Amino acid sequence: MAIALVLVLIVVGSVLFHFLSPWWWTPIASNWDYIDHTITISFWITGVVFSAVVLFMAYCVFRFRHREGNRAVYEPENKRLESWLTIVTAIGVTALLVPGLFVWSRFVNVPSDATEIEVVAQQWQWSYRLPGKDGKLGTSDTREVTAENPLGIAPKDPNGQDDVVVEAADLHLPVDKPVKMLLRSIDVLHDFYIPEFRAKMDMIPGSVTYFWFTPTRTGTFQVLCAELCGQGHPLMHGMVMVDTEQDYLAWLGQQQTFAQLSAPQQTGSANPLPGNTMASALDVAAKVETVEAR
Amino acid sequence: MVDVTPADAVPPAEVGEMELYHPHSWWTKYVFSQDAKVIAIQYSATATAIGLVALVLSWLMRLQLGFPGTFDFITPEAYYQFITMHGMIMVIYLLTALFLGGFGNYLIPLMVGARDMVFPYVNMLSYWVYLLAVLVLVSSFFAPGGPTGAGWTLYPPQAIMTGTPGGNDWGIILMLSSLILFIIGFTMGGLNYVVTVLQGRTRGMTLMRLPLTVWGIFTATVMALLAFPALFVACVMMLLDRLLGTSFFMPAIVEMGQQLQHSGGSPILFQHLFWFFGHPEVYIVALPAFGIVSDLISTHARKNIFGYRMMVWAIIAIGALSFVVWAHHMYVSGMHPYFGFFFATTTLIIAVPTAIKVYNWVLTLWRGDIHLSIPMLFALAFIVTFVNGGLTGLFLGNVVVDVPLSDTMFVVAHFHMVMGVAPILVIFGAIYHWYPKVTGRMLDETLGQFHFWVTFLGAYLIFFPMHYIGLIGVPRRYAELTDMTIMTESAHHLNSFISIIAFLVGFAQMVFLFNLIWSIRHGREAGGNPWRATTLEWQTPQTPPAHGNFGKELPIVYRWAYDYSVPGAKEDFIPQNVPGDFRPTREPA
Ligand code: HEM
Ligand SMILES: [Cu+2]
Ligand SMILES: [Cu+2]
C-alpha cells in the first residue's frame, strides 16, 4: 500500500511546497501584473486538476488493490462519462485561454504614447539608443557597424545624428512612462529579459523586434540574456535603473549623441573642440523636452 | 456496442504467406540480422549505451549548477557542450531510437501476428545507419574543438559561429551529419513499421483490435516520417551555410568587430523548420509511451482499457494536431505577435484529447483488480509525472504566460517532467514487463523495487522544485549562476539539493543495469505468459520467440486485446487468439 500513501504525500507535499517555499517570482516592477494574475489562475486550475487526478488514483490503488478472489469489473466504455469529462476539460481549458489571449492582445498592442528606445545586443553586451530632439530614431544597418559606429546607425540619415548612444553601459528609464523597447542584434540571437518586468523578447540579427511596458517603481534591475548566444551567454548581464523624472533627466544630460561620438573622427581626434560638452548639454535639454512631449 | 461472432470477424486468408528470410551463419543470425527481434535488441543496446553518456553529462551539468565555481574543468564552453549533447542524445538517439527502433521492432510483428517486418533487409540497414549516426556523434567528442555547444536546438547564427564551441570547428558539422544519417536510418525503419502495421496483420487482426501499444508506435512513426524531413532540410541548409558560405539562415552579421560575408538569410526560418519537426518529436516520444502504458495498466489491473475507441481517436487527434502547434516554442522568438493567438489556441485544444487519455487510464484503475507489480508501479508513476508536466504545459502554451517563463528553468523542469521522466518511466515499466518475453526470465523484484522508488521519487524531487527556480526568473542554459541579483542564497541551496538527488537517481540506474545483466542468467524462469496477458506476443509457442515468431501456423485473432475479467469466463483473461466461447465480449464494433 506504500504507493497509495506516497501518491497522497506527493499531492500534500507539492501543495505545501507551493505555498510555503521561499522561491517565488520577484516583486513586480512593471504594468504586467496582468501576467502574474494569469499565472495565478493557471496555478489554481492546474493545481486542482493535479490533486484530483492523483488523489483519485491513490484511492483506486487503495480500494481496488488485488486481494484473493477479487475480480475486475468488465466495462469497455461509458459514453456519458466520457462526454461529460470532455466538456468539463474544454471549459477548464477555455478558462485558461481566454484571459491569456486578452492579456496577450494588450502585450502586443503598444500604446501610442510609448517612447521608443532601442536595445542593441552583441556578444556579450548591451547597448542602447534613445531618440534625439526630433523624437525619431535614425535608420540602422548591420553593414554600417564599425569601431566608431558600434550600433550601425546610418551616417547619412539626418534623424540619426541626434540619437543618444549608450554604449555598453546602464540604461535609465523614467518611472511610470510607457516605453517600447525596439530590439536589435548585430551578431546572434539574444533575448532582452528583466525578471522584474516580466517581459522578454528575442533579438534577431537583421530584424527589429519589440515589446512594451511601463516601469512602475524606481530601482535597479538586472538585465539577463535569455537566449543562448555563445559561451558568454550566462554573463551577459546589464543594468536598468528606473529613475524619478529628475534623476532621469540628469542622467540623460550626461549622454552623448551619435553626432558627437562620430565628431572626433571628422575633426581629428587630437584636439576635441572646446565647448563640446556644453553643446551636448544644450542638445540634451532640448531632447528631453521632446521625450516628455510624447 | 455490437456483438460480433468470431466467424464474421475473421476473414479467410487471401494471399499465401510470404517467404521468410533465413540466416545461414552466425554473422547473419546475430550481427547482420534481418530478424526484427535481433534488430530491436541491437537498437536498444546502442540507445542505452549512448543514453548512459547523456546521463553522465547530466551529472556534470548538475555539478556545475549545484556547486558553482567548485569544478574548474566545467568551463562555460564545456557546459554548453554538455547540455547540447545531453539534450540531443536523450531526445533523438535514446528516446526516439528506443521507442521506435527498439520497442517498435520487437513488438509490432509480434503484436500484429506477423512473422517479421515486411522489408527485413531495409530494416537491418536502418540499424546500421543508426549505429553510424551514433558513431559520428560520439566522434565529435574527440574532434578538434570538441562537440557543438549550440544547445540541442542548434539555432543559427550562433551554431556556426566562433563564439559557440564547435561552431567554427568540427563540432557542428559532425552534429548535423549525424542527424542527417539518423533521419536516413530512421526512414528505412519507419517505412517498415508503417507498412507492417497496415499490411502485415494476421487474419482477424482488424485495426480496431490492435493493442494500443501498436497504435501508439504506429502513429508516432507516421508522424516521424512527416516531421523529420523538416529537420533534414534544415540540417542540409545549415551545413551549406557553414561549409559553402551560403546564407539560408545567415543575415548580415558583425562578429567580434568583423563583417561576415553572409547576408539576406533568415535565422527565424530555421526555428520554424526545427520546431515543425521538434514539436511532433515530443509526441513521437510520447505516443508510444501512451500506447505502452495503456497496455501495462490494463494487463496489471486485469481490466480492459477504458474507452478503447476514444483512446485510439485521441492518439490520432493528438498526432494530427501536433503539426499545427509548433510555433508555441517561438512565442518570444520575435515572430509576428499575431501568430501567438493562433498557436495558443491550437496548443490548448490539444490538451483536451490528452486529458481524455489521462482520464481513461485512471478510470481503467477504477474497479479493477490492481496488481502492484513493478510495471504497474512505473505506470502509476508515469501518470503522476505526465499529469504534472502536461499541466505546466498549459502555462507555457498560453502565450502570455510563456513570456516571463520561456527560456527559464521552468521550461527545463516542464519538459523533463513530460518528455524526459514520464516516457522513461514507461520505458522502465515496459522493460520489466517484456523482459520475460525477450529473455525467458523475470527481472529481480527486490532490485526492481529499489530502482522504482529511487527513480520515481528522485525524479519528482529533482524536477518539481526546479519549476520554482524558473518562476524566480533564472534563465535556462546558464553555466554561471553567480552575480545574479535574483539568485538568492536559498535558491543556491535548492540547486545543491537537486544535484545531490540527481546523483542518487543516476546511481539507481546502475542498479537497474546490473539487474538487466544479472537476470539474463539468474532471473526466475518466466514461462510463456507470466503476466497472464491477452496480446499475441505472449501466445508464442517458444519463449523467447523463435525466428518467424509463431511456429507453423500464424495465430488467428478473434477478439480485441482487452478481454480481461470477462464475466462468465473461467480465467480473468482471454487471449486474442482464443475463439469467442465466452459471450458477450462487448468489444467496440
Ligand atoms: C536524472 C535525469 C536528468 C537530469 C539530472 C537532467 C539534467 C539536465 C540539465 C541540468 C540540463 C541543462 C539545463 C540548463 O542549464 O538549461 C538539461 C537539459 C536538457 N535535458 Fe536533461 N536531465 C535528465 C534527463 C533527461 C531526459 C530523460 C531527457 C529526455 C527528453 C532530457 C532532455 C534534456 C533536454 C532536451 C535538455 C535541453 C538541452 C538544451 O538546453 O539544449 N534530460 N538536463
Ligand atoms: Cu545574449
Ligand atoms: Cu545569451
Side-chain angles (χ1 to χ4, degrees), chain A residues 124 126 189-191 224-230 232-234 236, chain B residues 478:
Chain A
W124 289 278
W126 306 101
L189 304 178
H190 299 272
D191 187 304
L224 302 172
C225 178
E227 182 64 65
L228 181 56
C229 54
H233 169 58
M236 188 167 160
Chain B
Y478 259 35

Side-chain angles (χ1 to χ4, degrees), chain B residues 496-540:
Chain B
S496 315
F497 168 80
I498 291 177
S499 294
I500 291 167
I501 305 288
F503 304 134
L504 278 180
V505 170
F507 169 71
Q509 309 319 307
M510 304 302 132
V511 174
F512 172 63
L513 278 184
F514 170 78
N515 195 355
L516 279 183
I517 295 164
W518 187 81
S519 301
I520 293 181
R521 311 265 304 342
H522 306 279
R524 188 160 53 79
E525 294 259 6
N529 190 0
W531 310 114
R532 302 152 50 78
T534 57
T535 42
L536 292 181
E537 79 276 22
W538 299 105
Q539 324 305 333
T540 56

Side-chain angles (χ1 to χ4, degrees), chain A residues 242-271:
Chain A
V242 176
D243 292 341
T244 59
E245 189 71 33
Q246 262 179 340
D247 293 352
Y248 173 70
L249 292 181
W251 169 79
L252 196 60
Q254 292 157 10
Q255 305 309 310
Q256 298 215 301
T257 65
F258 177 57
Q260 288 161 347
L261 285 169
S262 26
Q265 209 196 357
Q266 289 152 16
T267 53
S269 52
N271 56 338

Side-chain angles (χ1 to χ4, degrees), chain B residues 61 79 83 86-87 90 151-152 415-416 419 424 476-477:
Chain B
M61 296 179 310
Y79 185 85
I83 65 164
H86 163 83
M90 285 290 191
W152 89 282
F415 71 69
H416 275 92
M419 84 166 305
I424 289 231
R476 70 190 281 202
R477 295 169 168 171

Side-chain angles (χ1 to χ4, degrees), chain B residues 350-464:
Chain B
I350 269 207
V352 178
T354 312
I356 290 175
K357 299 206 66 88
V358 173
Y359 300 146
N360 287 6
W361 291 321
V362 296
L363 287 172
T364 302
L365 298 172
W366 178 250
R367 295 160 81 192
D369 174 26
I370 301 169
H371 291 247
L372 289 172
S373 55
I374 308 258
M376 180 54 119
L377 292 176
F378 274 108
L380 296 173
F382 160 82
I383 298 178
V384 174
T385 52
F386 182 74
V387 170
N388 191 290
L391 289 170
T392 52
L394 292 174
F395 289 63
L396 300 171
N398 199 356
V399 53
V400 81
V401 178
D402 183 58
V403 171
L405 297 179
S406 86
D407 277 309
T408 66
M409 291 310 273
F410 188 95
V411 175
V412 176
H414 154 73
F415 71 69
H416 275 92
M417 221 35 138
V418 79
M419 84 166 305
V421 175
I424 289 231
L425 290 174
V426 172
I427 287 179
F428 289 140
I431 292 176
Y432 284 92
H433 184 78
W434 277 294
Y435 187 89
K437 181 51 57 177
V438 179
T439 64
R441 289 176 189 271
M442 307 296 282
L443 281 164
D444 184 79
E445 170 88 15
T446 315
L447 294 181
Q449 289 277 351
F450 173 80
H451 176 223
F452 167 75
W453 287 108
V454 177
T455 305
F456 171 42
L457 295 180
Y460 196 83
L461 285 176
I462 293 171
F463 293 113
F464 181 76

